[in-house]
Amino acid sequence: MHEASIAQNILDIAIDTAKQNDAKIIKKVFVKIGKLAAVDINSLLFAFDALKEGTIAENSTLEVEEVLIKGECEECGFINNYDGYFFSCKNCNSLNVKIIEGEELNITEIEVE
Ligand SMILES: [Zn+2]
C-alpha cells in the first residue's frame, strides 16, 4: 500500500518544517495531488490519521486538493483537461499529447501554532 509511505513522507516533511519554524502544533497540512499520481485519497487520509498519533501533528487534518490531468498537444498546441489514461487531442485527434499537470504530489501549505 503506497499510500502509507506517502502519508509518512508528508508527515515527516510537515513535522520537520514545523520544527524549523519553532511551531509546537501542526493544525493543517495542505497537499496537491495529481490524478496521475494514482493515490487513493481515502487510504491516504486513513494512513495519515494513524501515523500522526503521538506526534505534534496529532490534531491536524490533511487537506487534499486533487489536480486534474492537463495535456498539451504537441501538434497543434491545444491544452485540455483529461479524465482517464487515454490522451488524444480533442482538437486534432493527435496522440502526441504531453502531460503538463496531474503528476504532482506536493505539500502546498502547513498551518501551525
Ligand atoms: Zn492537437
Side-chain angles (χ1 to χ4, degrees):
M1 192 176 109
H2 80 143
E3 280 78 10
S5 55
I6 294 169
Q8 186 66 62
N9 269 334
I10 293 170
L11 200 57
D12 287 347
I13 295 167
I15 290 171
D16 280 353
T17 308
K19 283 182 176 165
Q20 277 163 22
N21 291 287
D22 293 319
K24 302 275 178 286
I25 295 168
I26 297 173
K27 293 170 74 181
K28 274 183 184 171
V29 182
F30 295 85
V31 290
K32 249 186 179 173
I33 299 177
K35 279 200 156 198
L36 275 178
V39 175
D40 183 82
I41 307 295
N42 284 330
S43 302
L44 182 70
L45 292 173
F46 184 80
F48 184 86
D49 281 346
L51 293 164
K52 72 183 182 184
E53 295 296 326
T55 73
I56 61 167
E58 199 162 36
N59 295 313
S60 69
T61 49
L62 185 62
E63 303 278 340
V64 178
E65 183 192 336
E66 267 196 289
V67 181
L68 290 175
I69 302 162
K70 195 179 270 184
E72 180 178 7
C73 177
E74 305 243 64
E75 306 293 336
C76 73
F78 187 73
I79 293 175
N80 200 63
N81 287 330
Y82 292 89
D83 194 9
Y85 298 95
F86 182 71
F87 309 106
S88 69
C89 177
K90 286 173 184 166
N91 185 47
C92 73
N93 290 324
S94 164
L95 294 175
N96 200 0
V97 174
K98 184 175 76 180
I99 303 305
I100 53 176
E101 266 178 38
E103 292 171 305
E104 58 270 81
L105 204 168
N106 300 321
I107 295 177
T108 50
E109 201 185 326
I110 299 166
E111 214 175 285
V112 294
E113 241 176 38

